[in-house]
Structures are given as C-alpha cells and as structure tokens.
C-alpha cells in the first residue's frame, strides 16, 4: 500500500521498507476500519462483519451485480445447516451456500495471511515485478516528471492497484522499468496546462480524423544522437513521485550500460528500445506461433545479452527492497529469467510467475536457440500460472521434451523440488468498468449519439491492436463472406472496427506497413462491393479512443466480434460483457483467445473458418431475446465474480498452498554464471575438477564411443594453458582411456577409476593409490557378474585395475534394471560383508570398488595440496559431476575450510534428484559454454549475457580464440 509523503520532502525511496513483525502492536492493515467496514466479498454484506447491522444490503459491486439471485438465508453454522435437512446431500447443499459467519472464519487469509500461514514466516510484504511501470514518463530537467497512464495491460495494472489498496493486508511494492522516456519539449510552459488534454480526442463519428492530434503539444522529437542525460537529482525526483503515487508504491528500474553512467549516478539513455528487443522480436513472435527467417545469429546474440542483463538488473533492484518472508510475483515474458536469478541469490525466496501471453507447443519452442535458458529461468519459481489449460500443458510438455525433466499435470520435477503449474484466467475490474460505463453522463450522451447515427442498423463492434495475431484481416474477410452469403443483412448491419497502433517492437519495425495496408485494402473492397453513397458497411477507425467513446461503443453494440488468431488475455471480451448488462448482446469469440476457455457461453469460432464465422454472425443476429439473456447472464456472472481482485487472491492462495506442501524442499538453483565469472576474475589461484562421462561428454550407449569432441579438447586446452589454473579430470574411466584421448593436453591432471590412480599435470607417471590393498574380492565379484551377464542379453563386464563394473545399458531397460537390483542385493550380502568394498549403482551399471577409494578423497587431497603450496587455499574452486559418485566430491567440498562463495559445486544432468551440489547445469554443452565464459575455447558458444552483467555493457571481444560459426544461425 502507498506510503505517506513526509512533510519535509525527505527521500523515502532509499529508506528500507518497514518490516512488519509478527508481534506488531499497531493495528494490522487488514483490520483497519476502511477494510472491515465495507463488504469485501461479493454477496456478503456488512452484517457479516458487524454486529447489530442496520440491515442494508449493499452489494460490493455498483448497481448490485448479484441482484435477482437466490435470497434464501444461508445457514449460520453446521448445526443450523443440518436442522430440517432431508438428506446428506441437502446438508452439503446448505453448507455450500456459505454463511457470512462461516465465510468469515475461512477468510483469515484476506485479513491476516501471516496468521493463516504461520509456518511460512511471512513478512506481510509483497513485491510485484512487471516489465514497465503503469506510467509513461515525460522528462523535464530539474522539474517534476510528467506521468500519464500507460496504455495496455489495464487488467494487470488494476491488480497492482488492488494489492496496494487497504482492501488487502499486503504492503505492496511494484518494481518495473521506466519504459522509453520522452524528453520532447512542450510548446506551452509545464506549469500552464493546455485547454484540452490529450485524453480529449476527436469524437467517434464518420468525419473523425484517423489519428488523434493534441494541438498544444509538439510532436516527439527524434532521439538525440548522444541520448537523454538524466541527473541523479532528477532520478531521485522521479523515485519520490512514484513512491507516493495514490495507486501504490512503485520503484523504477533504470536500464543503462555502465559506460552510460558516471560516478555521480547520472545516466545517459541511448537506444532505449533495445531492452525490449529480444522479448518482443524473438519471444513474443515465437510464443504466438510466428517464426523468423534464419540468420547468422549475431543480432540475436546482442539482443540476448541485453535481455539477460535487463533481468539481472531487475533482480538487483528487487533485492534492494526485499525482506525475508516477502512474496515476489513476477509477470510476463520480458522477465522469464528473473525467477532463477532471484533463486540463485536467495534460495528460500517465495516466488510466483504468471505468463500473460500464450505458451507454444514444444514443436515451436524448440526453434528458439535459447529454449533451455528460458525454461530453466522460469523454473526458479515455486508456482507458475497460465491463462488457459492448453498453455500450461504446453509448458509442462516442453520441460519434459526439451529439458528432460519428469512432469505431470500438477507441474515439473526439477532437481529435487516440485514446481507447480496451474491455470488462473485473469479478470478485469468489473465494478469500475460498470461504474464508468453506466454512471457517467458523458458516456450516456455518446451512446445516444451513436444510436441515432446507426438507427435501424445492427452494430458489430471490434477493437484490436494492429498486430498480425489479432486477426483483424480474418475478421474483415469473414464479414465479407457474411455479406456475400446472407444478402438479407446488407445495408442492415455495420461493422465498426477500431484499431490502435501495435505495442510490439517486432511489428513496429514493419517498414512496409503490411498489416495496415492489408486492412485498408479489405475495408475498401467491402465498402466498394456492398456499400453505397449513403452507407458504408465497414467503419474503420485507426486511432485510439477516449474511455468514454470506447465504453459507449461497447454499450451500443449488438455483437462483439473477436477473431484473434493467437491471444493470451483479451480484456475487450470481458469489458464487452459488462457493458452489455442491459442489452445482452452476444459475444463471438475466437477459440484461440486465452479467454475462450473461461467464457463458455460465448459463441466460439475458428477465425480461419470464414464460412463458420459468417454463419455465427447470422446466428447471433437472429438469436431470440430469451437465449441472448440466458447466455449473457452466465457470462456476466462469471466476469463480475471472477474479476481481477478474485484472480489476485486465488493466485496468492494457491502459492501459499504450494509453499505449505513443499516448504522444506529447496531446488538446486541454476548456475549463476555472472557470479562464476566475477569470482574467477578475482582469483589468482584456481582449481577445476571435472567428471568425464555425462559432464564433459554426453552419456552414450557404448562406453567406448564416449570420445571427447574437438570443442571439449580446445576448451580444456585453453583452460589448462593458464598458469593460474589447476585443471583435473576425475573419472571412473581407466588410465588407458584417459591417456589415449586427453593425455596429450599439457598441464592437465587425471584421477582414474574413481580415485584409484592419479597422474599429476605435466607428468606421464600414474600413481597407484590402492597398490597395498588386497584385491582377492575381484574373483568373487567376477563370478557374480558373469552369472548376471548370462541372464541379461547385451550386458558386459568392464575390468579395471581397482574396480569391476557391470554395464547393462545395451540390454532391455526393464530386464537390466531388475537384474541389477538382484545382483546388487547378492553382492551386498556376500562380498560386501566379507571385504572392505562397496557396491555402487550407477547410470545403467553396477560397480564394486574398495571403500577407501572415491572421488571425495581425491577432491580433499587436491584442495589440501594446492592450499599448502602457497600457504592458503584456492580462491576459486569449480567442481562438476553428473551422478552419485560425484556426490563424494561435493560432500568433501562442503566440509572443507574453503569459503563457500569461492566454491562452485555443480551437478550436471536432467534427472530429478537431490544433490549436495550448490548449482546445476542441464547438459555437457552447458558445461562447455560456461567454461568458454572464463578463458576462451569455443568463444562463439559463450553466453554474452553474464559477461555484459560483469562488464556493464556487451563486450566487444571475447576472451580466447573465436571459432567461426559452422552453420549460420547456430547456437547463440
């Protein structure tokens, strides 16, 4: 909720947000009279919260949305519900009516979520992160900033206002980018308001101008070559204004390169649109099933680096105000990496994420070069929400098909934790829309004017942004088909289509203006074929509408027509339902809209089926009043009860349910590559320990075929070539294999057979650490392995100097796994008790080795030896492995004396598992790209994002030797 502005004008932005202790003596926000003295739940009046009610039955929504419902008194207790009931079903029916007193007991969440969820140690604070703040900014040097409401995403902004109000118990803070800042100069002085503001656009009529013009404002000047310079004082001025806005506390994120900032906090903003470029050019288009032509990937690399760094700057800004126990809610596709970035730095943070646009099927997502980064970024959240079930199903499927993570209808298992996936169709502020539409004389006047203008005509209304996915062209073609096939409606029906400019960066760059030209051609064609000198069947207005004009248009409509080809949340459909409160006009809605799943009583159409759409237009125009009233009643009930307030509350409630059920589980976060690079550069002595199979190379069916690629060899060679690096490969492989494929790399150390043998960098001599140990156990193990080899076709035995391994990967998976369990039981009962050996189940193998030999002992020995070498431990230690044998290394590092911020223990692989490692990477390719960030090798596969975070800008040159792309548009 908004903080009060101090009289002395102190800068409260830098002061920490007040922490709400559990024993706070002051009145809780949820118990404030402004909350308890008004009805806060639909269909519950004041008598539910007050004793001695006056009996007033005032609805929560204006004009009593629920008027005409069942007025039967609800039972006040379970005993009263049972009294007079004729059956158990009757008791349940009575109790389900939800008496005010019983609902009051169940509404502890709304009053005090901390008391309702004591195990979560909530602070009472909530931080919402969205890409842009709700205001468009105008910069006036040395003066107050100009703030105007930002167009679009009104439902989302309404939810922030609701969470910041005293209707909720939350101390809410909104974090968002400033957006592109306008510094054009007004013709009139700032302190002299114009006679008519920008909101007073030309009224909607046949003679209206195609674009609204503000005669008092100068057109936006082209961007200055040297950017917009903003001083620290002006930044603080904006932060003060946003901190005390009546709609809630807002904290801006300033996006600029470090080279564009000076030591005094001043910044220079250049190419402001770059921060939205990757999201809107790559993600938005692909998520709406549109694919680019392939390129060499250079521009995408730059855009990705900006996207990565932008998410990192959001994380930094959030952590400036975060308190333990805060809830963090992240919104939409611009911030897909933010959940994991926050999880990396605060593992216990409570994080939810909601995607407001569609999520594509795996066939389309796989076309995105950064598909893994995007999915793993989102999986840092505890709860992920989508608009419709199909979007959530696509996401879960992608996590399994792209990442290999196990999943089900409830969510995704990722590294020992469950990420819950749910569907939450967002709503609108129905009460406010209804009040604005029906209680404003200005709207009433425009309604009367429009009805007079189109007297005797049926009015079909469409209002869309001029994006390709909004289906405006499909709508016009369907309307043309309707007029062709149903001639009885000619000159009796008019389509009023309003289009506003697109907000998507990708389509703003449509130099040929193809969409607008297509729409103009269709309008001209239809009016030419079916119009006359006195009548045009299509009235097209390419302009923004004022709020009054928009609501009036929705009120006079006989049909609302929405034909989007792919859409996340279409608020026009919901607003149309509210505005048709009295007239009950049918809603024709594309089945590809995100709202189609929740608006069951709308007329669903396929926008690509022009004949089908035309048929439904005719059916809607011919529909009886009784049917229209029945359909609209259900739609109206849904829209006014499942509003944006209900959406916010249900999303938060679900998050608490998830946190309560998985409170003790912490997922292994994705490797923080920026922290890795920063510590590497700060260290003078570094130790690297790599497993081989599944870490440097992928797991393959035949172990002999797991040879290192040229990329691996070049990367290890470059890394070991730095005299400050000690690089070791610690593997279960034998000496012969490691020496054959990697032995030629100078200064590379080896440990073979899980620590049985060591070969120091620069040496060719292998040290046998188990030469004094009795190997008589091998004869018994060999006999057991041979027995199960005969029982398992395709399996084979690998004999090492100090270990024996039975492989069954080529065998039938079920038979191999079954016989492996039986073999392990037999060995543990015999050899395991008679000898000092351990039986270990690996990935499609079973291995027996001496107990004192393991990778953990090697890791401990290496840390100690390098520490004694110069009198202090390594300042950077990186250890990577993929299976249970590598857990010994992670355990040894966790118990070591090394500072944990200097240690990067990383588990590799897509399996859902508990691990002692502090970080994770998905596959060997990610290992190579991460090493390339440090010291060369395959620099063209390195991720520019973390480097841009460290250096404060996109680096002009990567470390190491650049390898040209083999395929244009290859991995970024």
């Amino acid at each position: 909720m908004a903080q009060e502005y101090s009289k002395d004008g102190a800068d409260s932005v830098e002061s920490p947000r007040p922490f709400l202790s559990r024993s706070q003596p002051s009145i809780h926000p949820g118990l404030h009279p402004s909350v308890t003295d008004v009805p806060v739940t639909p269909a519950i009046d004041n008598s539910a919260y007050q004793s001695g009610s006056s009996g007033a039955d005032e609805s929560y929504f204006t004009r009593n949305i629920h008027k005409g419902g069942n007025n039967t008194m609800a039972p006040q207790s379970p005993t009263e519900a049972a009294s007079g009931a004729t059956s158990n079903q009757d008791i349940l029916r009575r109790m389900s009516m939800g008496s005010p007193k019983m609902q009051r007991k169940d509404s502890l969440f709304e009053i005090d979520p901390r008391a309702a969820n004591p195990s979560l140690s909530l602070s009472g604070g909530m931080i919402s992160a969205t890409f842009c703040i709700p205001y468009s900014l105008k910069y006036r040097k040395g003066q107050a900033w100009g703030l105007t409401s930002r167009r679009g995403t009104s439902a989302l902004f309404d939810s922030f206002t609701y969470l910041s109000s005293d209707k909720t118990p939350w101390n809410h803070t909104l974090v968002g980018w400033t957006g592109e800042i306008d510094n054009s100069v007004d013709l009139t002085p700032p302190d002299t308001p114009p006679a008519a503001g920008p909101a007073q656009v030309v009224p909607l009529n046949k003679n209206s101008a195609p674009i609204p013009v503000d005669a008092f404002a100068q057109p936006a000047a082209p961007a200055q070559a040297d950017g917009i310079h903003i001083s620290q004082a002006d930044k603080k001025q904006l932060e003060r204004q946003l901190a005390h806005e009546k709609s809630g506390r807002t904290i801006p994120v300033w996006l600029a390169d470090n080279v564009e900032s000076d030591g005094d906090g001043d910044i220079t903003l250049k190419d402001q649109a770059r921060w939205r470029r990757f999201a809107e050019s790559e993600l938005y288009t692909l998520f709406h099933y549109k694919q680019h032509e392939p390129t060499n990937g250079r521009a995408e690399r730059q855009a990705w680096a900006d996207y990565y760094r932008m998410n990192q700057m959001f994380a930094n800004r959030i952590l400036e105000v975060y308190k333990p126990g805060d809830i963090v809610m992240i919104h939409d596709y611009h911030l897909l990496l933010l959940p994991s970035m926050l999880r990396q730095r605060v593992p216990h943070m409570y994080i939810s994420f909601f995607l407001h646009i569609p999520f594509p099927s795996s066939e389309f997502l796989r076309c995105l070069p950064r598909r893994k980064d995007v999915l793993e970024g989102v999986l840092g959240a505890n709860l992920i929400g989508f608009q419709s079930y199909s979007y959530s199903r696509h996401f879960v499927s992608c996590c399994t098909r792209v990442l290999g993570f196990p999943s089900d209808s409830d969510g995704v298992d990722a590294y020992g934790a469950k990420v819950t996936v749910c569907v939450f169709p967002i709503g609108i502020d129905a009460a406010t829309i209804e009040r604005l539409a029906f209680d404003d004389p200005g709207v009433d006047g425009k309604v009367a004017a429009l009805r007079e203008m189109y007297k005797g005509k049926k009015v079909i209304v469409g209002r869309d942004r001029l994006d390709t996915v909004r289906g405006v062209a499909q709508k016009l073609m369907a309307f043309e088909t309707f007029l062709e096939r149903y001639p009885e409606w000619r000159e009796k029906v008019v389509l009023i289509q309003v289009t506003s400019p697109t907000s998507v960066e990708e389509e703003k760059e449509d130099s040929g203006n193809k969409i607008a030209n297509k729409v103009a051609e269709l309008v001209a064609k239809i009016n030419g074929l079916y119009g006359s000198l006195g009548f045009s069947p299509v009235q097209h207005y390419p302009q923004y509408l004022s709020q009054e004009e928009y609501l009036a248009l929705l009120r006079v409509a006989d049909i609302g027509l929405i034909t989007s080809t792919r859409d996340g949340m279409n608020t026009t459909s919901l607003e149309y339902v509210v505005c048709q409160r009295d007239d009950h006009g049918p809603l024709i809605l594309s089945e590809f809209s995100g709202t189609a799943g929740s608006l069951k009583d709308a007329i669903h159409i396929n926008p690509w089926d022009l004949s089908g759409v035309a048929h439904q237009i005719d059916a809607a125009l011919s529909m009886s009043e009784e049917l229209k009233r029945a359909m609209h009643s259900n739609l109206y009930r849904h829209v006014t009860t499942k509003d944006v307030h209900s959406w916010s509350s249900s999303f938060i409630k679900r998050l608490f349910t998830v946190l309560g059920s998985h409170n003790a589980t912490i997922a292994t976060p994705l490797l923080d590559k920026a922290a890795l690079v920063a510590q590497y550069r700060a260290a003078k002595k570094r130790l690297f320990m790599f497993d081989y199979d599944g870490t440097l190379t992928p797991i393959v069916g035949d172990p002999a075929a797991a040879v290192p690629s040229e990329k691996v060899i070049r990367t290890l060679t470059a890394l070991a070539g730095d005299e400050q690096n000690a690089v070791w490969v610690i593997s279960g492989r034998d000496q012969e294999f490691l020496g054959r494929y990697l032995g030629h790399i100078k200064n590379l150390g080896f440990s073979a057979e899980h620590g049985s043998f060591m070969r120091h960098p620069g040496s060719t001599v292998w040290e046998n650490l188990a030469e004094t140990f009795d190997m008589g156990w091998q004869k018994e193990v060999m006999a057991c392995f041979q027995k199960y080899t005969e029982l398992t076709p395709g399996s084979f035995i690998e004999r090492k100097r100090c270990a024996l391994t039975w492989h069954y990967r080529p065998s039938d998976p079920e038979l191999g796994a079954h016989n492996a369990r039986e073999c392990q039981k037999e060995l543990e009962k015999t050899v395991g008790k008679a000898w000092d050996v351990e039986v270990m189940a690996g990935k499609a193998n079973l291995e027996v080795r001496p107990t004192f030999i393991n990778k953990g002992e090697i890791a401990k020995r290496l840390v100690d030896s390098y520490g004694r070498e110069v009198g202090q431990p390594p300042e950077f230690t990186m250890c990577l492995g993929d299976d249970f044998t590598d857990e010994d290394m992670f355990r040894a590092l966790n118990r070591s004396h090394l500072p944990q911020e200097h240690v990067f223990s990383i588990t590799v692989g897509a399996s859902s598992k508990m691990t002692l490692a502090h970080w994770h990477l998905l596959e060997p390719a990610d290992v190579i790209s991460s090493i390339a960030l440090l010291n060369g090798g395959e620099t063209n596969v390195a991720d520019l994002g973390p480097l841009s975070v460290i250096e404060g800008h996109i680096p002009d040159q990567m470390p190491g030797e650049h390898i040209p792309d083999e395929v244009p548009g290859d991995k970024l």
Side-chain angles (χ1 to χ4, degrees):
M1 56 190 66
Q3 299 176 352
E4 293 184 1
Y5 189 80
S6 56
K7 294 181 179 180
D8 57 0
D11 184 5
S12 64
V13 176
E14 294 184 342
S15 61
R17 191 158 43 83
F19 181 79
L20 304 179
S21 64
R22 298 180 198 171
S23 59
Q24 188 175 358
S26 61
I27 186 169
H28 189 276
L31 300 177
H32 194 277
S34 61
V35 176
T36 59
D37 288 351
V38 297
V40 297
T41 306
I44 298 180
D45 58 22
N46 287 327
S47 63
Y49 304 95
Q50 301 173 356
S51 59
S53 171
S54 62
D57 186 18
E58 202 172 306
S59 171
Y60 174 64
F61 295 109
T62 58
R63 292 192 179 264
N64 200 345
I65 284 175
H66 301 285
K67 185 176 181 180
N70 190 348
N71 294 323
T72 304
M73 288 297 295
Q76 303 299 306
S77 67
T79 302
E80 186 174 337
S83 176
T86 59
S87 65
N88 291 336
Q89 289 77 10
D90 194 19
I91 295 176
L92 293 175
R93 181 188 62 80
R94 290 173 171 229
M95 294 184 66
S96 66
M97 293 170 62
S99 73
K101 290 184 179 179
M102 293 170 67
Q103 289 191 26
R104 185 181 181 186
K105 294 179 182 178
D106 294 335
S107 64
L108 184 58
F109 165 81
E110 284 84 1
I111 297 177
D112 191 352
R114 292 178 298 176
N117 302 273
S119 63
L120 299 181
S121 301
L122 298 173
S123 67
M126 178 176 293
I127 302 173
S128 294
T130 187
F131 180 56
C132 287
I133 62 176
Y135 310 100
S136 296
L137 302 180
K138 189 175 185 64
Y139 175 53
R140 302 184 181 102
K141 185 176 181 180
Q143 303 179 50
W145 290 67
L147 307 181
T148 56
S149 296
R150 185 180 298 274
R151 295 182 182 273
T153 61
S154 58
L156 179 60
F157 292 156
D158 286 342
S159 73
F160 299 148
T161 302
Y162 169 69
L163 290 172
S164 298
S165 70
D166 57 4
K167 296 177 182 178
T168 73
W170 298 105
N171 181 13
H172 181 257
T173 300
L174 176 62
V175 176
W177 178 41
T178 59
E180 291 88 344
I181 295 174
D182 177 24
N183 71 329
S184 59
V185 180
D186 290 334
L187 292 179
T188 55
D191 56 352
T192 305
Q200 297 181 358
V201 298
V202 181
L204 178 63
N205 56 54
K206 293 185 177 181
N207 298 318
S208 66
I211 301 295
V213 177
D214 179 4
F216 294 89
Q218 185 180 14
Q224 301 177 15
D226 56 351
I228 303 174
H229 183 80
I230 301 177
S231 67
Q232 176 72 356
D234 286 331
K235 288 168 59 181
K236 292 299 180 184
Q237 170 64 30
L238 175 62
E239 292 175 3
R240 281 193 295 270
Q241 288 181 241
L242 294 178
H244 305 294
E245 275 292 309
K246 62 180 181 180
S247 59
R249 183 186 187 218
T250 300
I251 295 179
V253 179
W254 300 95
L255 298 181
D257 282 342
N258 287 1
V259 295
E260 299 170 353
S261 307
D262 57 31
D264 297 330
D266 297 358
I267 60 173
T268 301
L269 304 180
K270 300 178 180 179
D271 187 15
Q272 299 182 67
R274 61 185 279 202
W275 303 108
R276 64 169 77 241
R277 194 157 292 145
F278 182 85
E280 297 184 359
S281 296
E282 302 296 326
L283 297 179
Y284 181 89
T285 52
L286 188 73
F287 281 26
H288 286 83
Y289 291 80
K290 294 170 59 184
Q291 193 173 349
H292 293 301
E293 292 293 327
T295 67
N296 62 11
R298 293 187 180 91
E300 289 81 356
R301 263 169 82 90
Q302 300 285 326
W304 167 257
D306 286 331
Y307 183 78
Y308 186 100
R309 185 159 177 256
M310 180 262 292
N311 276 260
Q312 191 69 253
M313 286 190 279
F314 263 81
N316 295 340
R317 194 61 157 153
I318 289 172
L319 292 176
E320 290 177 9
V321 297
Y322 171 79
K323 302 288 187 187
D326 280 359
I327 299 294
V328 179
M329 298 180 65
I330 302 170
H331 294 273
D332 230 0
Y333 62 101
H334 296 88
L335 304 176
L336 290 172
L337 306 182
L338 186 54
S340 278
M341 289 180 172
L342 292 172
R343 182 73 62 204
Q344 289 165 354
R345 298 162 73 174
V346 186
H348 293 272
M349 185 180 287
Y350 303 146
I351 304 174
S352 63
F353 178 88
F354 191 86
L355 185 67
H356 294 262
I357 65 172
F359 195 90
S361 65
S362 59
E363 285 76 11
F364 262 81
L365 189 74
R366 282 199 292 250
C367 300
L368 183 68
R370 287 292 174 184
R371 57 197 182 184
K372 292 188 303 182
D373 305 80
V374 165
L375 291 174
E376 289 200 311
V378 180
L379 288 174
N382 302 100
L383 172 66
I384 303 173
F386 294 91
Q387 290 281 4
S388 74
Y389 173 72
S390 61
Y391 304 159
S392 68
R393 179 169 51 84
H394 288 162
F395 175 80
V396 169
S397 174
C398 287
C399 289
T400 298
R401 296 189 177 192
V402 176
L403 301 181
F405 289 164
S407 63
D408 53 33
S409 58
D410 293 330
V412 182
D413 293 319
Y415 291 90
K418 182 81 169 186
V419 179
T420 303
V421 177
C422 289
V423 178
F424 302 93
I426 195 172
I428 59 173
D429 189 350
T432 299
I433 293 296
E434 186 171 17
R435 174 176 54 80
L436 294 172
F438 291 97
D439 293 350
D440 185 351
V443 175
D444 292 337
K446 287 181 170 53
V447 168
L450 286 168
R451 284 178 174 163
E452 178 63 27
M453 183 183 301
Y454 298 107
K455 186 175 180 180
K457 302 289 192 298
K458 294 289 186 179
V459 177
I460 302 175
V461 167
R463 183 264 215 165
D464 308 272
R465 288 204 304 264
L466 206 55
D467 301 342
T468 53
V469 299
R470 302 299 172 179
V472 178
Q474 285 82 354
K475 182 185 303 184
L476 291 170
M477 288 187 288
F479 186 65
E480 179 185 1
T481 303
F482 163 75
L483 294 177
E484 176 188 350
R485 298 194 177 185
Y486 300 93
E488 65 271 20
W489 288 110
R490 295 175 188 175
E491 297 194 4
K492 296 179 181 179
V493 178
V494 59
L495 170 62
I496 301 178
Q497 176 63 48
V498 180
T499 55
S500 56
T502 180
S503 61
V504 180
E505 180 74 14
E506 167 74 8
E507 302 202 355
K508 287 180 180 178
E509 298 173 358
D510 177 17
S511 58
N513 207 14
K514 298 176 183 177
I515 307 171
N517 290 341
K518 176 69 172 178
V519 169
E521 290 173 3
L522 287 169
V523 170
K525 177 184 178 183
I526 296 171
N527 287 338
L529 287 174
Y530 302 104
S532 63
L533 291 176
F535 173 72
S536 297
V538 178
Q539 300 289 318
H540 179 220
Y541 298 96
Q543 65 179 72
Y544 287 118
L545 293 184
S546 69
Q547 179 176 275
E548 292 180 348
E549 289 174 328
Y550 172 60
L551 295 175
L553 192 59
L554 294 184
R555 281 182 57 183
V556 302
D558 294 286
I559 295 177
L561 182 57
I562 296 171
T563 55
S564 50
T565 58
R566 193 69 58 177
D567 204 356
M569 171 61 187
N570 192 296
T571 57
T572 300
S573 61
L574 306 179
E575 292 160 347
Y576 173 78
V577 170
V578 174
C579 290
Q580 286 293 311
R581 184 194 67 186
D582 299 333
D583 297 316
H584 315 130
L587 171 64
I588 301 178
L589 180 62
S590 168
E591 64 187 51
F592 299 112
S593 171
T595 53
S598 54
L599 298 181
K600 302 293 185 182
D601 286 275
I603 301 174
H604 293 177
I605 51 94
N606 177 358
W608 303 101
D609 179 9
L610 302 183
S611 299
V613 178
H615 172 72
Q616 294 298 349
I617 294 175
D618 175 66
L621 291 172
S622 307
M623 187 178 294
S624 66
E625 290 299 323
E626 291 76 14
L627 182 55
K628 288 197 291 186
R629 187 178 299 108
M631 294 176 64
H632 182 266
S633 176
N634 294 331
L635 291 172
Y636 187 74
R637 185 183 307 110
H638 172 84
V639 173
T640 53
T641 55
K642 304 296 183 181
D643 62 352
V644 70
H645 305 162
S646 172
W647 173 79
S648 300
S649 298
S650 62
F651 192 43
I652 298 169
K653 284 181 180 179
R654 180 57 175 159
L655 175 62
F656 288 158
T657 301
V658 170
L659 295 174
S661 60
H662 305 293
N663 195 25
T665 304
I666 301 176
T668 306
L670 184 67
L671 174 64
D672 187 345
K673 295 179 182 178
L676 179 78
V677 174
Q679 185 58 37
Y680 177 88
R681 293 184 177 183
K684 301 301 181 183
K685 184 171 53 172
R686 315 176 187 109
L687 173 62
F688 293 85
M689 293 177 282
F690 299 102
D691 175 40
Y692 183 77
D693 291 285
T695 301
L696 292 176
T697 61
I699 297 291
V700 294
D702 181 6
V707 297
S709 66
E710 287 299 317
K711 285 184 179 181
V712 171
I713 292 174
R714 284 196 296 264
T715 301
L716 291 178
T717 300
L719 195 65
D722 190 330
E723 61 181 12
Q724 295 180 332
N725 297 340
V727 185
W728 284 76
V729 175
I730 304 175
S731 173
R733 295 281 185 168
D734 58 24
Q735 309 101 292
E736 195 275 334
F737 182 93
L738 295 176
R740 180 193 308 169
Y741 293 107
L742 297 175
H744 64 281
I745 300 178
K746 188 178 179 180
N747 297 324
L748 186 63
F750 299 98
S751 173
E753 297 190 25
H754 299 292
S756 300
F757 299 89
M758 291 184 67
R759 196 182 94 173
H760 290 272
S763 173
T764 59
V765 179
W766 286 92
E767 177 185 355
N768 187 350
L769 303 181
E771 60 184 348
T772 60
F773 186 73
D774 186 358
M775 296 295 176
W777 54 271
Q778 290 189 343
K779 183 177 180 180
E780 299 179 39
V781 173
M782 180 63 74
C784 182
F785 278 172
Q786 286 176 343
K787 181 179 73 172
Y788 282 94
T789 300
E790 296 174 359
L791 296 174
T792 315
S795 64
F796 63 93
I797 302 171
E798 179 185 7
R799 183 161 192 166
K800 305 175 183 178
R801 294 279 298 274
C802 296
L804 289 174
T805 306
W806 179 60
H807 296 273
Y808 58 89
R809 186 178 298 276
S811 309
D812 178 81
E814 294 184 3
L815 177 63
H818 172 75
N819 287 344
R821 290 191 294 269
E822 296 301 317
C823 182
Q824 182 176 4
K825 292 178 184 178
E826 183 174 334
L827 290 172
E828 288 174 346
K829 291 179 180 179
T830 56
V831 180
K833 292 184 177 180
W835 298 84
D836 189 15
V837 297
E838 59 181 338
V839 183
M840 303 180 301
K843 292 183 176 179
N845 67 69
L846 205 62
E847 182 166 294
V848 183
R849 69 182 184 189
T851 55
F852 70 91
I853 295 177
N854 61 68
K855 293 182 178 180
E857 291 297 321
I858 298 299
K860 182 179 178 182
R861 176 184 290 218
L862 291 177
V863 170
D864 291 343
S865 64
Y866 280 93
R868 287 195 301 269
E869 194 172 297
V870 294
Q872 54 182 263
E875 300 162 307
F876 175 93
T877 302
M878 185 179 186
C879 178
L880 299 98
D882 70 307
D883 65 15
F884 75 99
T885 62
D886 302 307
E887 295 296 315
D888 293 330
M889 290 194 292
F890 304 149
R891 183 181 294 106
L893 291 175
N894 291 343
R895 295 175 178 175
S896 71
H897 57 282
L898 298 175
Q900 289 304 303
E901 62 271 18
H902 294 178
V903 177
F904 292 85
S905 55
I906 306 164
T907 185
V908 182
S911 61
S912 176
K913 59 186 177 183
M914 297 296 293
T915 179
L916 296 173
H918 294 164
W919 308 97
H920 87 257
L921 287 171
L922 183 62
E923 59 185 2
D926 297 327
V927 174
I928 301 305
S929 65
S930 298
I931 300 173
L933 288 171
L934 304 179
N935 192 27
E938 286 285 311
T939 59
N940 57 310
V941 303
D943 188 347
L944 290 178
L947 293 178
S948 67
V949 170
I950 298 299
E951 300 184 10
H953 62 90
I954 299 176
D956 297 326
Q957 185 175 359
M958 291 286 295
E961 179 184 0
H962 177 75
I963 308 298
D965 289 333
E966 297 178 0
V967 180
D970 198 8
K971 178 178 173 64
L972 297 182

